[in-house]
Amino acid sequence: MSVSASVHAKAIELGKLAVQMTSRAGSGHPSSALSLAHIVTCLMYRHMRYDPKDPWNPANDRLVLSEGHAVPIVYAAYADLGGHVGCSPGGCACAGTLKPADLDQLRARDSVLDGHPNPAEGFPFFDAATGSLGMGLSVGAGLALAARRDGLDRRIYVIVGDGESREGQIWEAADFIVDHKLNNLSAIFNCNNQGQAADVSGQQSAERLARKLEAFGWNVASIDGHNPEQIAAALEKTGDARPLAIVAKTVKGWGVQPFLKGNWHGKPLPEKELSTAFASLDAAGAALGATGAPALQRPSAPAQPARPAARVAAGDVAWPPFGDAMKTCGLGDALARNALATRKVYGAALKIAGDLIPQVVCLDADVSNSTFAEIFGKAHPDRFFECKIAEQNMVSAAAGLSAAGYIPFVNSFAKFISRAYDQVELASISRANIKLVGSHAGISLAADGPSQMALLDVAFFRAFTAVPGDDRVSPLCWFFNPSDAVAAYHCTRLMTAIRGMCYMRTYRPEVPLLYSPDATFEPGGFGVFNPGGDIALVAAGYMVHVAKQAAELLGKQGIRATIIDLYSLPVAAEKLLDALRRSGGCALVAEDNYGGGLSSLVAEVAAVDGGVRTAGAICRRIPKSTRTAEEILDYCGVGAVQIADQALSLLRRPVS
Amino acid sequence: MSVSASVHAKAIELGKLAVQMTSRAGSGHPSSALSLAHIVTCLMYRHMRYDPKDPWNPANDRLVLSEGHAVPIVYAAYADLGGHVGCSPGGCACAGTLKPADLDQLRARDSVLDGHPNPAEGFPFFDAATGSLGMGLSVGAGLALAARRDGLDRRIYVIVGDGESREGQIWEAADFIVDHKLNNLSAIFNCNNQGQAADVSGQQSAERLARKLEAFGWNVASIDGHNPEQIAAALEKTGDARPLAIVAKTVKGWGVQPFLKGNWHGKPLPEKELSTAFASLDAAGAALGATGAPALQRPSAPAQPARPAARVAAGDVAWPPFGDAMKTCGLGDALARNALATRKVYGAALKIAGDLIPQVVCLDADVSNSTFAEIFGKAHPDRFFECKIAEQNMVSAAAGLSAAGYIPFVNSFAKFISRAYDQVELASISRANIKLVGSHAGISLAADGPSQMALLDVAFFRAFTAVPGDDRVSPLCWFFNPSDAVAAYHCTRLMTAIRGMCYMRTYRPEVPLLYSPDATFEPGGFGVFNPGGDIALVAAGYMVHVAKQAAELLGKQGIRATIIDLYSLPVAAEKLLDALRRSGGCALVAEDNYGGGLSSLVAEVAAVDGGVRTAGAICRRIPKSTRTAEEILDYCGVGAVQIADQALSLLRRPVS
């Protein structure tokens, strides 16, 4: 009973801080924070085994706040506990101890207390950015998977809002967690029954959520989320083989009278009303016997685990030469026939990455026999995680695995990775070290039609490549687009060595080698074939082969075309500009996707100085099914003949 | 009993066609098709009331094949029934009657039989492209919503694969359908237990799916999907207030011996094995008494409905002048203060669109008090559909509403619309007439931090604008990016009048007017302020205001900057080039997002002729929370001072 009183007292103290910091910041979500006051108190002061002074201790239990806007209540607790902040374990400019006075800097430019959980800005208590809703349960799943692989007795707690449990991704994660038997995870559903614009739907009521979770195979405890004894009893129900879901009924704005009338979602109190709010919380506490309750005793921090999980420096391993690698992976015959699909070579290279680097893991969405991630899966079944047809959960789970030190390769058709673009962006905010590999990119898969073709991925991922990362040198994402087997092998190797997000396109058709087996590749590099021509044909991936055919057609008309293969972005711009100048100062860029891709990039590189003329030959209509790659290229206006024609037009265009 | 025999006979006949057409095409999914042979036979020959000769009759029942790869079985039935094909009711090049012999053209370039359902290529039996999995139930929800609004007694059938029911969107749709009481929809879950790479998870077993659907509030019937009597009994269970889900256990490759060993997902039989397959199907039929069974009698086609739903020509209505519109929507005071957020003006304009055009409807994802779609919702509650926090379902449901003749405006934060980019692309393949409006775009919302900021939307949607649509004139998507209240009003008006997909950005901050209330706007147009300067500062949306501040700073240094406001894409390129040439032949483009946006566009326009130099000032790091818009602009390198500095650098850069 005295523990309950102490929990109430602490919840009220944290609630005051949450209300105050949002009022001082002039924005934030105090009412959501208050609905979690007791649950967060129970977790952070009683049940979670962790060391606030060493948030990077791999034995710490972890909390994922999927409902990211409720974060002020966590900030309040962490400040009260004097938790360590900073953006890296090695010490950094923002490193230090969080104090209650720092809370007034919530959402300020120089504060580590971002508007939503954002570990990269210096709040390492969290593993991933949240706030775009519905992603946290998947992140937690990735952390739980990693903990189990690492033999760590840590528990992953995830708090999910009732409103956000409308997001389908929550249910993708619910399936994944059951499939992978992750009963080291506890999910807490915060049912305060208020959304932003109105109350939540009856489909997200506490009762309905409990029924759904049971139907999904979870062990469900339904409680009053402001009752310390019920919270404690529920958190201890972890002995089941099933994952634990706690469905907690709570009150938005708990204890603060003004918040209990109308909808205060996302609205702080005016500062002048703070004293009223505090009095209201004190009255609530008095009624619950909290006044003068003894302080809560936190459990002792866990020791560092005896053996850190096996890791090697991913950039330092020695890879076998290309030809040897192909042979050991059963692709020797295909190599001898000089017909290898880049997707297949990727699968082989990934398997070798797994051989060399124990922290390389692989996720696939029921298409591993198309992406050829199955080559990895067969060699390393314990590091292959089948996600089934649920790409959103796959990407966010990979972000969780990355936060635990793994290097996840995430696979599906390039088209279906677009299902998770919001998750990709949140992973980028988390600085996740994930490698996304999309197969069957562009239009060359032909027969299956446009619903299976990635046509916007180049524009989307190129947008990231234009932005520098925290080191001001690497981009937010490296983009690889190999045209042949040699390039695909080395691009996979480069992705493994790079610390940070990467995206790679692979293609369905089998193609001949363009590069010598001992060719070298580097991030931001490009290949040049037949340098010093009258015009450059710039392409990447499968389109390099089409550009080569176009160059042959141009050759018959006496025009010598240089082929430039942009296998990696962001490209070294000055070098590219130089190569373009050496190719007649004229470049036609050929793409098997919609706009905003390589044509735009080359134009940007050229336009700053104005000395090189460029034009793009992109996919000029919505594709449909055709029987062959040649037909669909022609249909979309980017067949070899059409590229040659457009190159001629550009050459003949009068210069202004 | 004789009806059952007839169903078996027809299912086998269609199964043969499905197997044969995929063998002849050399690709496709015959085993998935066979698992649906009986269900599709029961639907298309017995239960659906529709006229195959008039697929556009608004009284027809409709079928959405979410599991799009199983489409050969539907093509077989439609050809057997002599259904009408063609890409528009008005008659078109591909119009005619589908015959069994046409099935051999499956997936061929000139065929209407695309690899996955694709009405725009000439198969009007379907309403939307499917094939990127998990979207069909949402499309069906949109159709069902439209049918109810139109008072049409049509039923919407949706076939969902068991594997694809792992996609969270299925469960978003399941909630939405219950919320909106759409019991005119029947969902059939095809549980053949085989995915592509392996069997489906136990989480998608027939038993588990039935439990889940019950927990979601559906009326569930579990059946043998190859038993005609059970199928008929289940399809007739429609009297309940709850939506009907039929969970059907089926056999992948039913009746064809070779398909029953191993996993044949997506693999056609070699043509030489067709006779064995046919014999196997005949033997299955003989065992079921199908031999010599009488032909099935289809129900009579429905009459055309007595009164077509109210529609007006959206481009022909007369809108009130801007000032009057603001006043009638309660924004007169804000106008007088000269401080209006574009998001708010959009809400007002949308309300007026609703006043004028009965087929304008609105969907929002629990943020209508942020997007200001609530202004519409209050005026037209019967046309406002609350989708709660589930953006994927929202976009696909809008595609369904569009297929039924509505003009849906789809609202959320621009960031959260990225949750549904795959659905946006499928809507584009369907040529859906939807208007996506993303609020709080870019970084100017400041305090909430990067998880709420759209940073990649310009790159993504611009990619569509570069591709011509079916008329070879309009783009696949129009992009609007208004900088002030006048522009926001007129851009909303233009979107309403345009037939086709549109995307518009709105912003959080209140800004002054830049345009005169009687200014004119057009798709592809742009605004020019202070023409004939030494350099052009190109921007859109909120950044036009920042560019204006930068121009003032440049003015102090004696440099006259022209402001070009790209409020609509694709821009009229020649006109833009001309404007750039009149502004010193030098352009700095300022953006509050990552790369691939307007900077790329302007570079492309300039680079083809090489006469104009351009550079981009884009968001150069991952944003974080700040208290003010000015701070975050500065933090990301695109504040007014930084833009002015970059403009100076470009001006002073030596010309090559």
Side-chain angles (χ1 to χ4, degrees):
Chain A
M1 192 55 194
S2 74
V3 173
S4 279
S6 301
V7 169
H8 284 304
K10 184 56 77 180
I12 286 164
E13 186 187 338
L14 301 181
K16 287 180 184 173
L17 291 172
V19 173
Q20 179 173 286
M21 77 176 90
T22 51
S23 290
R24 298 222 166 126
S27 73
H29 297 74
S31 64
S32 302
L34 284 162
S35 71
L36 285 173
H38 291 86
I39 289 169
V40 165
T41 298
C42 289
L43 284 172
M44 292 182 67
Y45 291 81
R46 296 196 66 204
H47 289 270
M48 284 178 69
R49 299 155 303 164
Y50 71 108
D51 184 356
K53 305 292 180 196
D54 179 12
W56 293 283
N57 181 343
N60 284 347
D61 288 346
R62 303 299 287 177
L63 175 62
V64 181
L65 185 66
S66 186
E67 180 186 14
H69 52 274
V71 72
I73 198 74
V74 175
Y75 289 157
Y78 205 64
D80 179 55
L81 293 165
H84 187 93
V85 294
C87 58
S88 75
C92 53
C94 59
T97 295
L98 191 71
K99 300 179 200 69
D102 299 328
L103 297 174
D104 284 351
Q105 294 305 306
L106 173 71
R107 298 179 165 219
R109 174 173 175 154
D110 295 323
S111 170
V112 301
L113 305 177
D114 231 44
H116 292 74
N118 194 348
E121 297 300 338
F123 198 78
F125 179 75
F126 290 128
D127 290 285
T130 52
S132 184
L133 292 170
M135 299 185 193
L137 195 55
S138 305
V139 171
L143 290 168
L145 210 48
R148 204 180 51 196
R149 247 200 86 66
D150 292 337
L152 293 173
D153 176 32
R154 71 194 319 197
R155 178 159 284 275
I156 314 301
Y157 296 92
V158 183
I159 297 178
V160 182
D162 50 359
E164 72 167 324
S165 72
R166 182 85 166 206
E167 288 284 7
Q169 187 181 353
I170 292 291
W171 304 100
E172 297 179 1
D175 276 341
F176 181 84
I177 288 164
V178 172
D179 266 355
H180 292 270
K181 303 184 176 61
L182 300 174
N183 66 348
N184 54 344
L185 179 147
S186 299
I188 301 157
F189 288 80
N190 175 27
C191 297
N192 61 34
N193 201 43
Q194 264 188 16
Q196 177 183 316
D199 284 355
V200 303
S201 157
Q203 292 295 105
Q204 278 67 50
S205 69
E207 294 73 18
R208 178 70 81 185
L209 280 177
R211 281 208 295 281
K212 288 178 178 178
L213 286 159
E214 278 161 9
F216 273 71
W218 287 56
N219 177 19
V220 180
S222 291
I223 63 165
D224 171 355
H226 298 292
N227 181 318
E229 289 175 40
Q230 290 189 27
I231 298 170
L235 285 170
E236 280 155 18
K237 279 185 67 177
T238 54
D240 202 284
R242 295 168 297 170
L244 173 64
I246 300 171
V247 178
K249 280 196 188 179
T250 63
V251 176
K252 203 151 168 174
W254 185 90
V256 175
Q257 282 304 327
F259 286 143
L260 301 179
K261 292 184 198 110
N263 188 329
W264 279 78
H265 180 96
K267 292 177 195 149
L269 278 182
E271 279 200 71
K272 63 178 164 42
E273 292 184 33
L274 280 179
S275 56
T276 317
F278 288 6
S280 169
L281 277 164
D282 285 332
L288 292 160
T291 317
L296 287 170
Q297 294 301 313
R298 288 196 56 248
S300 55
Q304 285 270 357
R307 291 183 310 132
R311 303 278 190 266
V312 303
D316 294 345
V317 296
W319 285 59
F322 166 76
D324 296 356
M326 293 303 101
K327 280 169 206 147
T328 62
C329 294
L331 301 180
D333 285 355
L335 181 59
R337 279 190 288 110
N338 196 22
L340 269 167
T342 49
R343 61 182 174 134
K344 208 173 277 188
V345 176
Y346 158 69
L350 183 60
K351 182 253 171 200
I352 290 167
D355 295 344
L356 299 170
I357 304 163
Q359 68 267 37
V360 165
V361 295
C362 175
L363 302 94
D364 195 283
D366 191 36
V367 288
S368 61
N369 52 347
S370 282
T371 61
F372 283 100
E374 68 175 12
I375 303 178
F376 179 98
K378 284 172 184 162
H380 307 289
D382 59 321
R383 284 187 270 152
F384 177 84
F385 306 124
E386 176 57 71
C387 299
K388 301 295 180 183
I389 308 172
E391 298 77 11
Q392 301 186 87
N393 174 69
M394 176 166 67
V395 170
S396 299
L401 282 157
S402 162
Y406 282 91
I407 305 176
F409 280 74
V410 181
N411 304 273
S412 188
F413 279 40
K415 175 71 175 83
F416 306 146
I417 287 179
S418 74
R419 195 65 160 255
Y421 277 179
D422 194 18
Q423 288 76 9
V424 166
E425 195 186 352
L426 268 280
S428 159
I429 298 170
S430 302
R431 280 65 165 178
N433 185 23
I434 62 174
K435 321 297 169 182
L436 303 150
V437 181
S439 72
H440 297 68
I443 60 178
S444 52
L445 64 123
D448 279 310
S451 69
Q452 319 290 300
M453 295 171 175
L455 300 163
L456 295 134
D457 60 327
V458 181
F460 183 80
F461 282 100
R462 188 178 82 83
F464 284 104
T465 69
V467 183
D470 297 333
D471 64 4
R472 313 307 297 150
V473 179
S474 312
L476 296 191
C477 179
W478 287 100
F479 189 133
F480 293 95
N481 200 347
S483 59
D484 81 347
V486 183
Y489 181 68
H490 287 288
C491 289
T492 308
R493 179 180 60 76
L494 292 172
M495 285 202 294
T496 310
I498 287 168
R499 174 79 185 81
M501 195 163 86
C502 299
Y503 177 70
M504 186 164 86
R505 273 187 142 196
T506 66
Y507 297 85
R508 188 176 194 284
E510 297 188 332
V511 291
L513 295 200
L514 295 172
Y515 288 95
S516 140
D518 56 359
T520 58
F521 296 82
E522 59 185 349
F526 54 89
V528 180
F529 301 95
N530 198 16
D534 306 309
I535 185 170
L537 299 181
V538 183
Y542 183 77
M543 290 306 288
V544 178
H545 299 270
V546 183
K548 226 180 129 192
Q549 294 166 30
E552 283 162 23
L553 295 173
L554 289 168
K556 287 178 188 159
Q557 303 200 42
I559 293 163
R560 207 158 75 80
T562 296
I563 307 282
I564 296 183
D565 171 15
L566 294 184
Y567 65 77
S568 172
L569 306 183
V571 72
E574 287 300 321
K575 282 189 191 168
L576 176 61
L577 196 55
D578 186 58
L580 297 179
R581 288 194 176 120
R582 292 168 191 270
S583 312
C586 193
L588 183 79
V589 190
E591 301 185 71
D592 57 358
N593 43 260
Y594 293 167
L598 303 182
S599 306
S600 294
L601 168 73
V602 174
E604 282 187 75
V605 167
V608 68
D609 285 318
V612 172
R613 295 183 307 132
T614 80
I618 63 168
C619 190
R620 285 283 175 200
R621 64 198 296 189
I622 298 177
K624 67 177 301 295
S625 292
T626 65
R627 296 269 174 95
T628 67
E630 289 68 29
E631 284 174 298
I632 191 62
L633 290 163
D634 175 73
Y635 180 86
C636 292
V638 288
V641 172
Q642 293 149 311
I643 291 170
D645 284 350
Q646 288 176 76
L648 282 174
S649 296
L650 183 63
L651 276 172
R652 289 171 185 159
R653 190 179 169 102
V655 178
S656 66
Chain B
M1 193 54 194
S2 73
V3 173
S4 281
S6 301
V7 169
H8 283 305
K10 183 58 74 179
I12 285 164
E13 186 187 335
L14 301 182
K16 286 181 185 174
L17 291 171
V19 173
Q20 178 172 289
M21 78 177 89
T22 51
S23 291
R24 297 219 167 129
S27 75
H29 297 73
S31 64
S32 302
L34 285 162
S35 72
L36 285 174
H38 291 85
I39 289 168
V40 165
T41 298
C42 288
L43 284 172
M44 292 182 68
Y45 291 81
R46 294 196 66 204
H47 290 270
M48 285 177 68
R49 297 154 304 164
Y50 71 108
D51 184 355
K53 304 294 181 197
D54 180 12
W56 293 284
N57 182 345
N60 284 347
D61 287 346
R62 302 299 289 177
L63 175 62
V64 180
L65 185 67
S66 186
E67 179 186 15
H69 53 275
V71 71
I73 199 74
V74 175
Y75 290 158
Y78 205 65
D80 178 55
L81 292 165
H84 187 92
V85 294
C87 58
S88 75
C92 52
C94 60
T97 297
L98 191 70
K99 301 179 199 70
D102 299 328
L103 297 173
D104 285 350
Q105 294 305 306
L106 173 72
R107 296 177 166 221
R109 174 173 176 154
D110 295 323
S111 171
V112 300
L113 305 176
D114 231 42
H116 292 75
N118 195 347
E121 296 300 340
F123 198 78
F125 179 75
F126 290 127
D127 290 285
T130 52
S132 184
L133 292 171
M135 300 186 193
L137 194 55
S138 304
V139 171
L143 290 168
L145 210 47
R148 202 180 51 195
R149 247 199 85 66
D150 292 338
L152 292 173
D153 176 33
R154 73 195 316 197
R155 178 158 283 275
I156 314 300
Y157 296 92
V158 183
I159 296 178
V160 182
D162 50 359
E164 73 168 323
S165 72
R166 182 86 165 204
E167 289 284 8
Q169 187 182 352
I170 293 291
W171 304 100
E172 296 178 3
D175 276 341
F176 180 85
I177 289 163
V178 172
D179 267 355
H180 292 270
K181 303 185 174 61
L182 299 174
N183 67 348
N184 54 344
L185 178 147
S186 300
I188 301 157
F189 288 80
N190 174 28
C191 297
N192 61 36
N193 201 44
Q194 263 188 15
Q196 177 182 315
D199 283 355
V200 302
S201 156
Q203 293 293 105
Q204 278 67 49
S205 70
E207 293 74 17
R208 180 69 80 186
L209 281 176
R211 281 207 295 280
K212 290 178 177 177
L213 287 159
E214 278 160 9
F216 272 72
W218 287 57
N219 177 20
V220 181
S222 292
I223 62 163
D224 170 356
H226 298 291
N227 181 317
E229 288 174 42
Q230 289 188 26
I231 298 169
L235 285 170
E236 281 155 17
K237 280 185 66 179
T238 53
D240 203 284
R242 295 168 297 168
L244 173 65
I246 299 171
V247 178
K249 279 196 188 178
T250 63
V251 176
K252 202 150 167 175
W254 185 89
V256 175
Q257 281 303 326
F259 286 142
L260 302 179
K261 291 184 199 111
N263 188 329
W264 279 77
H265 181 96
K267 293 175 195 150
L269 277 182
E271 276 200 71
K272 63 179 164 40
E273 290 183 34
L274 280 180
S275 57
T276 316
F278 287 7
S280 169
L281 278 165
D282 284 334
L288 292 160
T291 318
L296 288 169
Q297 293 300 312
R298 289 193 58 249
S300 54
Q304 287 270 357
R307 290 183 311 133
R311 303 279 190 266
V312 303
D316 294 346
V317 297
W319 285 58
F322 166 76
D324 295 355
M326 293 303 99
K327 279 167 208 150
T328 62
C329 294
L331 301 180
D333 284 354
L335 181 59
R337 280 190 288 112
N338 195 22
L340 268 167
T342 50
R343 60 183 174 133
K344 207 172 278 189
V345 176
Y346 157 69
L350 182 60
K351 181 256 174 197
I352 290 166
D355 294 344
L356 298 170
I357 304 163
Q359 68 267 34
V360 165
V361 296
C362 175
L363 302 94
D364 195 284
D366 191 36
V367 288
S368 61
N369 51 347
S370 281
T371 62
F372 284 98
E374 68 176 11
I375 304 178
F376 179 99
K378 284 171 185 164
H380 307 289
D382 58 320
R383 283 187 271 152
F384 177 83
F385 306 123
E386 177 55 73
C387 299
K388 301 294 178 182
I389 308 173
E391 298 77 10
Q392 300 189 83
N393 174 69
M394 176 167 67
V395 170
S396 299
L401 282 158
S402 161
Y406 282 91
I407 304 176
F409 280 73
V410 180
N411 304 272
S412 188
F413 278 40
K415 174 73 174 83
F416 306 145
I417 287 179
S418 75
R419 195 66 160 255
Y421 278 180
D422 194 18
Q423 288 76 9
V424 167
E425 194 187 351
L426 267 281
S428 158
I429 298 171
S430 302
R431 278 66 165 178
N433 185 24
I434 62 175
K435 322 295 169 183
L436 303 149
V437 181
S439 72
H440 296 68
I443 60 178
S444 52
L445 63 121
D448 278 309
S451 68
Q452 320 290 300
M453 294 170 174
L455 300 163
L456 294 134
D457 61 326
V458 181
F460 183 80
F461 282 100
R462 188 179 80 83
F464 284 105
T465 68
V467 183
D470 297 333
D471 65 3
R472 314 308 297 149
V473 179
S474 313
L476 296 191
C477 180
W478 287 101
F479 189 133
F480 293 96
N481 200 348
S483 59
D484 82 346
V486 183
Y489 181 69
H490 287 289
C491 288
T492 308
R493 178 180 60 77
L494 291 172
M495 285 202 293
T496 310
I498 286 168
R499 173 80 186 80
M501 194 162 86
C502 299
Y503 177 69
M504 186 164 86
R505 271 187 143 199
T506 66
Y507 298 84
R508 188 175 192 285
E510 296 187 336
V511 290
L513 294 200
L514 295 172
Y515 288 95
S516 140
D518 57 358
T520 58
F521 295 82
E522 60 185 347
F526 54 90
V528 180
F529 301 94
N530 199 16
D534 307 309
I535 185 170
L537 299 181
V538 183
Y542 183 76
M543 291 305 288
V544 178
H545 299 269
V546 183
K548 227 180 129 191
Q549 293 166 30
E552 284 162 21
L553 295 172
L554 289 169
K556 289 177 188 161
Q557 304 200 41
I559 293 163
R560 209 159 72 81
T562 297
I563 307 281
I564 296 183
D565 171 14
L566 294 184
Y567 65 78
S568 171
L569 306 183
V571 71
E574 287 300 321
K575 281 188 192 169
L576 176 60
L577 195 55
D578 187 57
L580 297 178
R581 288 196 176 118
R582 292 167 189 271
S583 313
C586 195
L588 184 78
V589 190
E591 302 186 71
D592 57 359
N593 43 260
Y594 293 167
L598 302 183
S599 306
S600 294
L601 169 74
V602 174
E604 281 187 76
V605 167
V608 67
D609 285 317
V612 173
R613 295 184 307 132
T614 80
I618 63 168
C619 189
R620 286 281 173 200
R621 63 197 297 190
I622 298 178
K624 69 176 300 295
S625 290
T626 65
R627 296 269 174 96
T628 66
E630 289 68 29
E631 283 174 299
I632 191 62
L633 289 164
D634 176 73
Y635 179 88
C636 292
V638 289
V641 173
Q642 294 149 311
I643 291 170
D645 285 349
Q646 289 177 73
L648 282 174
S649 296
L650 183 64
L651 276 172
R652 289 171 185 160
R653 191 180 169 102
V655 178
S656 66

